[in-house]
């Protein structure tokens, strides 16, 4: 093991040496610790997810004989690596694009394009478009690394049509508008993260007004990179770091990764939340993933291995018998929400699905329930013009306001310097055979167990 300026070489047990560029290094010497912030901060480009490393490395540097790498982030020695935005280096790439021919990486078609948007409320918003030959999606660094659009071919958009048509820059979103509902003035993504200091419905928590779904989805990323592995399967990754900090209240880092492979029908999100505060802090997170037509329609079905389900409010309770199915667009319908606790398999993962009425296409979400034990099913079957949409929303809890969630024991905490990872994988089901396989797997996780169904809401929103 050796080191050079800002770079540490580490031999792992099963792989070739990795070149690690350390972003946060904690030196432990004589029971004291000192934080060092090196010049450059980058993110995992080789690891399968943004995992936290705890590795002791021998050697010396300036007379110190032991290193503890904490929250280390690394880049590969081979392949493509491009910095899009860096607060550390005070840089931003306005426009950039590459593909398999220009980069010389891989044999299947893929492309990445970064652009800055102009006009209206999207002026200055950034968008990274990735196409892998099967899927096309956009990552929005200006909007908390949300995923704006997802399509499986031009004939199968997986998002929805919101009355909010632009990629709204957060400077135009007043979260306290309409008594804390201002988040809705920018809401149109396929996937938006809600959190992290708080999420769910607006309301007071002690003396503080907490707005709808938190701040992270309207916070621009501080660090953004894209990478493509040189070795097959040539994984494409878009990574970012989004900071949610408030003097006296919070100091969160959310490290995000969206990845896929050329020719693949899967999209993964691997995130790591880090508490940089000196104190234990509460957090909440919801992965608000949204679908409209053609996947959503009358007779479409939500399927999951359900341990328990309860209505969010009285309107949902009134429609409990049909909680897994959908109606046609209905004027003045409003919305219903159901609070689901899913079963998981032996590996700690669950699988849920949205299936079309004809059972000839669908989409699944596979995720780890240890960090995301709850799932909210949001059914907003209003008119097409108002937003005909359903949300499949794995989370740390349900979308009741934080005070109610805390009383129910669904507001977790992270210790000082603590971290937690969230891993989710979506797969597009493009025919009846793929739908049948997904249903079989869901039944296998259910194992014939009868769900617990509560007829009354868990709380009053």
């Amino acid at each position: 093991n050796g080191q050079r300026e800002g770079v540490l070489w580490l031999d792992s047990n099963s792989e070739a040496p990795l070149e690690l560029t350390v972003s946060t290094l904690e030196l432990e010497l004589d029971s004291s610790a000192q934080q060092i912030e090196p010049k450059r901060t980058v993110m995992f480009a080789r690891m399968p997810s943004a995992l936290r490393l705890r590795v002791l490395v021998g050697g010396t540097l300036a007379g110190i004989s032991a290193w503890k790498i904490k929250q280390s982030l690394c880049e590969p020695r081979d392949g493509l690596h491009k910095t899009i935005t860096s607060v550390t280096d005070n840089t931003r790439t306005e426009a950039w694009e590459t593909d398999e021919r220009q980069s010389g990486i891989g044999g299947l078609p893929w492309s990445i394009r970064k652009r800055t948007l102009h006009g209206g409320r999207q002026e200055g918003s950034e968008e990274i478009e990735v196409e892998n030959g099967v899927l096309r999606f956009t990552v929005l660094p200006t909007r908390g690394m949300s995923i704006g659009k997802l399509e499986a071919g031009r004939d199968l958009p997986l998002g929805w049509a919101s009355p909010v048509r632009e990629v709204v820059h957060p400077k135009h979103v007043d979260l306290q508008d309409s008594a804390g509902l201002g988040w809705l003035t920018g809401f149109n993504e396929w996937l938006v993260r809600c959190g992290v200091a708080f999420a769910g419905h607006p309301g007071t928590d002690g003396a503080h007004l907490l707005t709808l779904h938190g701040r992270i989805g309207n916070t621009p990323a501080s660090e953004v990179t894209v990478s493509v592995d040189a070795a097959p399967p040539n994984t494409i990754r878009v990574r970012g770091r989004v900071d949610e900090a408030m003097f006296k209240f919070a100091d969160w880092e959310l490290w995000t990764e969206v990845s896929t492979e050329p020719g693949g029908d899967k999209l993964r999100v691997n995130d790591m939340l880090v508490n940089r505060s000196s104190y234990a802090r509460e957090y909440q997170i919801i992965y608000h993933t949204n679908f409209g037509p053609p996947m959503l329609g009358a007779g479409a079905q939500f399927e999951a291995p359900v341990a328990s389900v309860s209505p969010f409010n009285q309107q949902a309770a009134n429609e409990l018998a049909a909680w897994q199915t959908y109606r046609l667009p209905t004027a003045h319908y409003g919305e219903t929400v159901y609070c689901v606790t899913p079963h998981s398999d032996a590996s700690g993962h669950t699988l849920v699905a949205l299936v079309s009425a004809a059972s000839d296409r669908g989409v699944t979400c596979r995720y780890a329930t240890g960090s995301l034990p709850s799932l909210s099913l949001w059914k907003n079957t209003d008119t097409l013009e108002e937003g005909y949409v359903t949300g499949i929303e794995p989370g740390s809890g349900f979308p009741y306001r934080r005070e109610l969630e805390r009383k129910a024991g669904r507001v977790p905490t992270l210790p000082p310097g603590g971290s937690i990872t969230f891993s989710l994988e979506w797969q597009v089901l493009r025919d009846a055979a793929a739908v049948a396989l997904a249903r079989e797997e869901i039944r296998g996780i259910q194992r014939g167990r009868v769900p617990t169904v509560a007829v009354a809401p868990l709380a009053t929103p």
Side-chain angles (χ1 to χ4, degrees):
N1 298 331
Q3 64 82 31
R4 60 188 186 187
E5 183 179 358
V7 176
L8 180 71
W9 293 86
L10 169 66
D11 287 313
S12 68
N13 292 329
S14 59
E15 298 184 60
L18 302 177
E19 183 177 5
L20 304 182
T21 303
V22 178
S23 78
T24 302
L25 195 63
E26 181 176 305
L27 306 181
E28 293 188 342
L29 180 63
D30 298 331
S31 73
S32 63
Q34 180 181 1
Q35 291 286 332
I36 293 181
E37 299 287 349
K39 178 181 177 182
R40 187 171 178 79
T41 299
V42 293
M43 289 163 288
F44 283 104
R46 174 143 182 189
M47 299 298 177
S49 63
L51 300 176
R52 180 179 173 185
L53 298 182
R54 290 184 174 274
V55 184
L56 290 177
V57 180
T60 62
L61 177 68
I64 297 174
S65 59
W67 295 70
K68 183 177 181 182
I69 306 173
K70 185 177 182 183
Q71 303 163 23
S72 300
L73 305 171
C74 63
E75 61 186 25
R77 300 164 69 181
D78 301 312
L80 179 150
H81 180 86
K82 175 69 175 179
T83 297
I84 302 297
T85 300
S86 175
V87 166
T88 305
D89 291 344
N90 193 31
T91 61
R92 184 176 81 162
T93 302
E94 293 292 327
W96 173 79
E97 59 184 293
T98 190
D99 56 27
E100 82 285 355
R101 291 168 295 180
Q102 182 177 338
S103 67
I105 297 176
L108 296 174
W110 60 266
S111 64
I112 305 171
R113 181 178 66 157
K114 192 274 174 181
R115 61 177 181 162
T116 302
L117 305 179
H118 299 288
R121 294 195 298 152
Q122 71 178 13
E123 180 65 40
S125 291
E126 296 182 286
E127 179 181 81
I128 300 171
E129 181 183 272
V130 176
E131 190 160 4
N132 75 354
V134 176
L135 303 178
R136 184 170 71 94
F137 60 91
T138 60
V139 179
L140 309 177
T142 316
R143 294 190 54 79
M145 299 299 288
S146 296
I147 301 175
K149 297 178 181 178
L150 174 62
E151 298 175 353
R154 302 294 178 178
D155 63 333
L156 187 54
L158 294 174
W160 62 296
S162 169
V164 180
R165 298 175 183 87
E166 300 171 355
V167 180
V168 179
H169 196 287
K171 66 185 178 183
H172 298 295
V173 177
D174 178 4
L175 295 176
Q176 297 196 36
D177 190 14
S178 300
L181 295 175
W183 184 87
L184 297 173
T185 63
F187 175 47
N188 61 8
E189 299 95 335
W190 174 71
L191 183 150
V192 55
R193 299 168 182 84
C194 306
V196 291
F198 54 91
H201 278 211
T204 58
D205 186 0
H208 305 291
L209 171 63
L210 307 183
T211 58
L212 177 66
H213 285 329
R215 297 181 286 245
I216 204 74
N218 284 281
T219 302
S222 297
E223 306 285 336
V224 182
T225 66
V226 298
S227 67
V228 184
D229 289 355
N234 308 121
T235 300
I236 303 167
R237 296 180 173 90
V238 181
R239 294 192 175 91
R241 193 195 85 211
V242 188
D243 297 343
E244 183 176 331
M246 182 179 180
F247 180 61
K248 291 290 188 181
F249 288 95
D251 189 2
W252 294 106
E253 283 182 350
L254 182 64
W255 296 91
T256 71
E257 178 188 273
V258 181
S259 65
T260 190
E261 282 75 41
D265 56 9
K266 296 178 181 179
L267 179 68
R268 293 177 300 277
V269 170
N270 291 295
D271 293 349
M272 178 173 67
L273 180 65
V274 181
N275 177 19
R276 291 178 57 91
S277 172
S278 298
Y279 308 108
R281 298 293 191 192
E282 294 179 325
Y283 72 90
Q284 294 178 283
I285 192 164
I286 297 173
Y287 286 84
H288 205 308
T289 316
N290 309 292
F291 301 87
M295 192 70 72
L296 179 64
Q301 187 85 6
F302 170 74
E303 305 201 12
V306 178
S308 65
V309 60
S310 63
F312 183 78
N313 57 18
Q314 190 54 50
Q315 181 178 348
N318 295 340
E319 300 184 18
L320 186 59
W323 77 272
Q324 289 181 272
T325 61
Y326 295 88
R327 61 175 68 196
L328 287 166
T330 305
H332 308 294
Y333 175 74
E335 62 182 8
T336 53
V337 178
Y338 295 92
C339 303
V340 181
T341 301
H343 288 295
S344 56
D345 61 18
S347 71
H349 291 77
T350 195
L351 184 73
V352 301
L354 177 66
V355 176
S356 67
S359 296
D360 59 351
R361 54 190 172 185
V363 62
T364 61
C365 180
R366 186 187 309 276
Y367 64 95
T369 56
S371 55
L372 299 170
S374 305
L375 183 143
S376 302
L377 180 66
W378 173 54
K379 299 167 64 176
N380 190 87
T381 51
D382 207 327
T383 65
L384 292 172
E385 295 78 10
E386 293 297 317
Y388 180 68
V389 59
T390 187
I392 297 174
E393 307 172 18
S396 58
F398 299 125
Y400 293 104
R401 54 192 173 89
R402 190 174 68 178
E403 184 179 48
L404 298 178
E405 285 292 285
R406 185 186 297 112
K407 290 179 180 178
R410 291 189 295 266
V411 180
T413 62
L414 276 180
S419 65
I420 187 170
T421 58
F422 309 102
S423 300
L424 308 96
E425 178 184 83
W426 288 267
Q427 182 174 12
V428 180
L429 311 177
R430 291 179 284 175
D431 54 39
V435 170
L437 285 174
R439 282 175 162 161
E440 182 179 357
E441 183 174 351
I442 290 171
R443 286 195 297 269
I445 299 173
Q446 186 77 47
R447 291 193 286 119
R449 290 171 288 187
V450 178
T452 299
V453 180
V455 297
L458 295 176
T460 301

